[in-house]
Amino acid sequence: MGFDVLLKGSNMLRLLTGLWVALRISLISALISIVLGVALGSLMSLKKPVITVISRIYLEFIRIMPQMVLLFLVYFGTTKALGINMSAETASVIVFSLWGTAEMSDLVRGALGGIPKIQYESSFSLGLTTFQTYFYIIIPQIIRRMLPLSINLITRMIKTTSLVMMIGIVEVLKVGQQIIEANRKSSPNAAFGIYATVFFMYFIVCYVISMLSKHLEKKWKS
Amino acid sequence: MEEILKISGLTKSYGDLVVLDHIDLSVKKGEVVVLVGTSGCGKSTFLRCINALEKIQDGKVLLDGEVINPAGGKLNTVRERVGMVFQSYDLFPHKTVLQNMILAPVKVKKVSKKEAEKEALALLDRVGLLTKKDSYPHQLSGGQKQRVAIVRALMMHPEVLLLDEITAALDPEMVREVLDVVVSLAKEGRTMLIVTHELSFARAVADRMIFIDGGKIVEEGAPEDFFNHPQTERLKKFLDSFTY
């Protein structure tokens, strides 16, 4: 079945290292996206015309562009046009953060808008200050609403990292291809074993994360 | 009896639209004042002006001689003296009934958690919801939520309680259980300003009725006169609209 290839040399370790590259890109990007997304989403909920227009254009642009085109644009485009020489991993983190920030900001905007005005007012009527109202009442509700959705975004990011091999990053899928190529003569069945292993790696990581989100969703159901 | 709340010349407008036009009202300690009027007449806005949820353009609201609107910097210290219950969405959905009740006393009044819980349990017992102390709001019926909202407001020992259409969003069979709580509060001498559409309840609970129309107090009086001998055409018309 081609699983024997995994035991040859350090192949399994190489695959795991590749998986780590994919995870590293998506986790760093997710972290940046959460911070910037919360900031942008809060700005958007102020409903200032200029901010609304700019963020709308940004969101639509990111949604329409395939991630691969964005990757090429940032990695190859900037090098020639702007003379910036960045590593492929930096380029991927930028692209994934641009994407994640767009999605997160929309989630934050929605969560903020979904909190009834009376939640603020009944908190104020009880004598809580604006700071206390956000700290004890509003932010905890926003986190509860957003966490499952943002975890879902992280799993989508992890899956989409398979694209970054197109700009030369050796992540788990690329490592898999290299192993298959190298063993084409000795184990012609390697493709099945390796890709199946890669499949399970993605599956386990994403499954654990989405289980966590399901668990929180259940716990916070309200 | 001594005057606790004095409102003079209160004017509220949104741009050119004047919602409340120079309203004067004085409320005595222990008095229950019920405000009625067509929807959009400004009665809810009036309540919201009293605890400074709305900025006012002219006039002032005095609580025990202290100006509370236009509010200075210490808005929250004023607000803890005026309790308010809204139509719905009052309770904090991520906190249990007990947590809802003790949050403000513990964080604002710095009451110890143990003491606040003791008081909360006594109040819950009084409104028949002791068994629901660890429930979350989404596990309660509309009537139960509103009863919790009322006792949560009482936890701050407000000098005046404002009730803004607290039964308007309830199913008819739940209205009674909420109004019963309000009646019992009236009996123990709570000062309350109530906006409601339940006229029979208003008649039972009010010391004084007020009819607001077009942003002004059109007529006021004891419930007996108010309902049986309305003086103005506008009030007659309003009261008629409730009978078939």
Side-chain angles (χ1 to χ4, degrees):
Chain A
M1 295 290 276
F3 285 104
D4 54 310
V5 186
L6 289 171
L7 303 172
K8 280 189 194 161
S10 56
N11 282 351
M12 190 64 200
L13 188 69
R14 284 177 62 203
L15 272 181
L16 285 172
T17 314
L19 182 67
W20 171 238
V21 172
L23 285 181
R24 190 170 60 208
I25 291 172
S26 38
L27 292 181
I28 293 174
S29 309
L31 206 67
I32 296 173
S33 304
I34 288 169
V35 173
L36 294 182
V38 168
L40 182 63
S42 313
L43 279 175
M44 280 159 75
S45 67
L46 296 177
K47 295 197 174 113
K48 297 263 188 267
V50 182
I51 299 171
T52 309
V53 169
I54 294 174
S55 54
R56 218 54 257 172
I57 293 172
Y58 166 58
L59 256 64
E60 290 305 322
F61 177 76
I62 298 291
R63 276 196 194 133
I64 291 166
M65 284 287 245
Q67 270 94 21
M68 182 118 70
V69 178
L70 273 177
L71 273 174
F72 285 168
L73 189 69
V74 171
Y75 185 57
F76 298 117
T78 53
T79 319
K80 281 270 151 61
L82 306 174
I84 303 169
N85 202 355
M86 66 177 83
S87 73
E89 197 169 325
T90 310
S92 332
V93 168
I94 290 175
V95 168
F96 279 76
S97 301
L98 281 172
W99 170 40
T101 303
E103 298 235 358
M104 278 301 292
S105 64
D106 218 24
L107 291 180
V108 172
R109 188 190 53 83
L112 268 171
I115 302 224
K117 204 172 136 215
I118 289 181
Q119 286 286 307
Y120 296 84
E121 293 183 339
S122 64
S123 172
F124 291 149
S125 320
L126 286 166
L128 274 78
T129 60
T130 309
F131 175 78
Q132 287 173 325
T133 298
Y134 275 94
F135 191 77
Y136 295 114
I137 311 299
I138 307 302
I139 294 173
Q141 290 187 53
I142 288 176
I143 292 176
R144 280 168 167 72
R145 282 174 191 221
M146 275 184 19
L147 211 77
L149 294 165
S150 28
I151 286 178
N152 175 277
L153 176 64
I154 294 173
T155 59
R156 279 191 292 145
M157 273 190 181
I158 292 172
K159 287 185 278 185
T160 316
T161 49
S162 53
L163 292 180
V164 302
M165 72 175 194
M166 300 304 291
I167 57 170
I169 295 180
V170 186
E171 45 68 72
V172 60
L173 197 60
K174 185 74 192 171
V175 175
Q177 286 185 344
Q178 287 174 346
I179 295 173
I180 294 163
E181 288 298 322
N183 296 282
R184 188 169 289 282
K185 288 254 166 59
S186 57
S187 331
N189 278 335
F192 182 79
I194 295 294
Y195 285 137
T197 310
V198 171
F199 166 80
F200 277 112
M201 284 178 165
Y202 277 124
F203 176 78
I204 287 167
V205 171
C206 293
Y207 185 73
V208 167
I209 293 178
S210 68
M211 276 297 111
L212 182 71
S213 118
K214 277 231 176 74
H215 169 75
L216 289 173
E217 227 170 325
K218 226 183 217 163
K219 194 175 153 197
W220 287 343
K221 194 180 166 239
S222 64
Chain B
M1 253 196 277
E2 62 175 304
E3 177 185 83
I4 183 146
L5 191 67
K6 184 168 177 59
I7 294 143
S8 51
L10 189 152
T11 301
K12 167 78 194 171
S13 50
Y14 297 105
D16 287 338
L17 180 72
V18 180
V19 184
L20 296 169
D21 189 4
H22 291 93
I23 291 199
D24 297 309
L25 179 70
S26 163
V27 179
K28 293 200 243 353
K29 202 166 181 175
E31 196 178 15
V32 177
V33 177
V34 175
L35 302 111
V36 294
T38 51
S39 34
C41 74
K43 53 195 192 304
S44 287
T45 311
F46 181 59
L47 283 196
R48 299 159 55 82
C49 288
I50 294 176
N51 74 344
L53 283 177
E54 301 279 348
K55 279 200 174 105
I56 56 178
Q57 275 65 47
D58 197 10
K60 58 185 165 195
V61 180
L62 295 169
L63 177 67
D64 230 354
E66 197 184 328
V67 181
I68 58 174
N69 195 5
K74 48 190 173 43
L75 211 52
N76 54 313
T77 54
V78 162
R79 285 191 181 132
E80 62 172 280
R81 298 168 60 193
V82 182
M84 185 153 184
V85 182
F86 301 84
Q87 206 178 90
S88 51
Y89 300 117
D90 282 77
L91 299 183
F92 307 133
H94 60 298
K95 292 188 177 294
T96 64
V97 167
L98 197 60
Q99 288 167 345
N100 259 282
M101 291 179 72
I102 67 171
L103 177 73
V106 169
K107 299 299 174 195
V108 179
K109 281 202 157 169
K110 310 288 177 202
V111 178
S112 77
K113 200 174 163 219
K114 213 173 146 191
E115 216 171 301
E117 281 184 354
K118 204 176 133 200
E119 190 181 351
L121 294 177
L123 280 167
L124 282 176
D125 192 24
R126 183 180 156 178
V127 295
L129 291 173
L130 194 54
T131 53
K132 302 285 182 189
K133 68 181 168 70
D134 295 319
S135 302
Y136 282 91
H138 70 97
Q139 297 166 314
L140 304 179
S141 73
Q144 291 170 333
K145 280 185 215 174
Q146 288 304 70
R147 281 185 277 161
V148 173
I150 294 170
V151 288
R152 186 181 69 177
L154 295 181
M155 288 292 290
M156 294 302 281
H157 306 144
E159 291 157 63
V160 177
L161 197 55
L162 311 172
L163 307 180
D164 186 9
E165 303 198 31
I166 57 169
T167 57
L170 295 183
D171 291 334
E173 70 269 23
M174 289 171 184
V175 170
R176 181 78 199 213
E177 65 188 50
V178 176
L179 297 184
D180 280 345
V181 174
V182 180
V183 170
S184 79
L185 293 178
K187 279 189 185 136
E188 66 174 45
R190 293 260 172 201
T191 314
M192 291 190 280
L193 269 81
I194 303 173
V195 165
T196 185
H197 289 294
E198 307 281 339
L199 292 191
S200 52
F201 157 72
R203 194 194 279 255
V205 80
D207 293 315
R208 182 160 37 131
M209 292 294 306
I210 288 182
F211 175 58
I212 296 183
D213 195 34
K216 285 178 190 291
I217 293 179
V218 174
E219 187 165 342
E220 63 178 301
E224 195 60 27
D225 301 329
F226 186 88
F227 286 106
N228 298 338
H229 313 289
Q231 300 296 309
T232 56
E233 272 312 308
R234 278 195 277 179
L235 178 56
K236 271 181 207 160
K237 226 176 126 191
F238 174 73
L239 291 174
D240 279 347
S241 70
F242 281 85
T243 49
Y244 289 100

